[in-house]
Amino acid sequence: LERLSFAARAATLAGDRALELRVAGRRAETLLQNGRVIEAELLSRQAMEILDLPRIEDIDVCNIVGVRIRCLAFLGDFEEGFRLRDIGRPIAERLPLTQRRTYLSGMSFLCTLSGQYERGVGELEEVIALTRASDTLARRWLTRLDIQIVQKALKVQYKKNIEYPPSLDVFNPWPKE
């Protein structure tokens, strides 16, 4: 937090409002993670005032909106949280799933703590579908990498014995790399 405070002062001195927003969002996130909800709420409110600048990127908006929504959820201000979620949703939808984690986290906390799960079902279903698709893609790539590793090992085995092994069990004692 101390380093983030220094970064905030440096951004202010440099007059870089976009950097101020990023640092404020990170500071609010860190405060929230440490249970300092009131401080995080104040900082996220200040950061929200910076959002109208033309140089602000969607990911930065999405991050601070997500932190702010989470703060509001913890403080029990659910209606304001849902209002902000409705504002942030079109921005979040423009981003890849990995860049909207903070927003989705805020939305999940809001729906859970308010008990209004149905208000987040659509977005969460989309996230689950994207996560499953990402998982499938990652497993396919890992399978390809595994095949390449096995091919290399088989070549080494063939050079040593001038034949391929009867099964892949001979590679079990080998190091993983």
Side-chain angles (χ1 to χ4, degrees), residues 16 26 38 42 44 47 49 57 103 116 121 138 148 150-151 161 165 167-168 176-177:
D16 188 338
R26 186 67 190 120
I38 302 296
L42 290 171
S44 68
E49 296 170 4
E57 295 183 28
Y103 166 80
Q116 299 179 40
V121 169
Q148 291 173 354
V150 170
Q151 286 173 341
N161 302 324
S167 79
L168 298 179
K176 296 293 180 196
E177 292 296 318

Side-chain angles (χ1 to χ4, degrees), residues 69 73 102-114 117 120 124:
I69 290 172
T102 306
Y103 166 80
L104 292 168
S105 171
M107 192 218 45
S108 296
F109 272 92
L110 180 64
C111 292
T112 302
L113 294 176
S114 70
Y117 309 105
L124 293 178

Side-chain angles (χ1 to χ4, degrees), residues 96-100 126-142:
L97 178 63
T98 56
Q99 293 181 342
R100 51 180 145 143
E126 176 192 358
V127 170
I128 291 167
L130 286 170
T131 302
R132 284 187 178 139
S134 298
D135 179 63
T136 301
L137 184 62
R139 287 177 190 275
R140 287 180 182 157
W141 275 106
L142 285 175

Side-chain angles (χ1 to χ4, degrees), residues 11-96:
T12 302
L13 288 173
D16 188 338
R17 299 289 281 167
L19 182 58
E20 279 184 65
L21 175 66
R22 283 188 214 108
V23 172
R26 186 67 190 120
R27 284 177 70 201
E29 179 74 28
T30 303
L31 287 166
L32 202 53
Q33 289 172 355
N34 288 304
R36 296 164 63 179
V37 178
I38 302 296
E39 294 171 79
E41 190 277 331
L42 290 171
L43 197 55
S44 68
R45 187 177 334 136
Q46 292 170 357
M48 293 294 292
E49 296 170 4
I50 302 174
L51 293 181
D52 292 335
L53 296 176
R55 285 187 22 210
I56 305 301
E57 295 183 28
D58 285 348
I59 188 169
D60 298 322
V61 174
C62 198
N63 284 337
I64 195 60
V65 166
V67 171
R68 179 92 179 123
I69 290 172
R70 201 164 354 137
C71 289
L72 294 168
F74 281 126
L75 294 172
D77 192 352
F78 304 127
E79 285 313 308
E80 178 63 16
F82 281 112
R83 187 190 70 74
L84 189 56
R85 185 205 66 162
D86 293 341
I87 292 169
R89 186 177 186 168
I91 297 165
E93 289 174 346
R94 291 194 296 253
L95 295 171

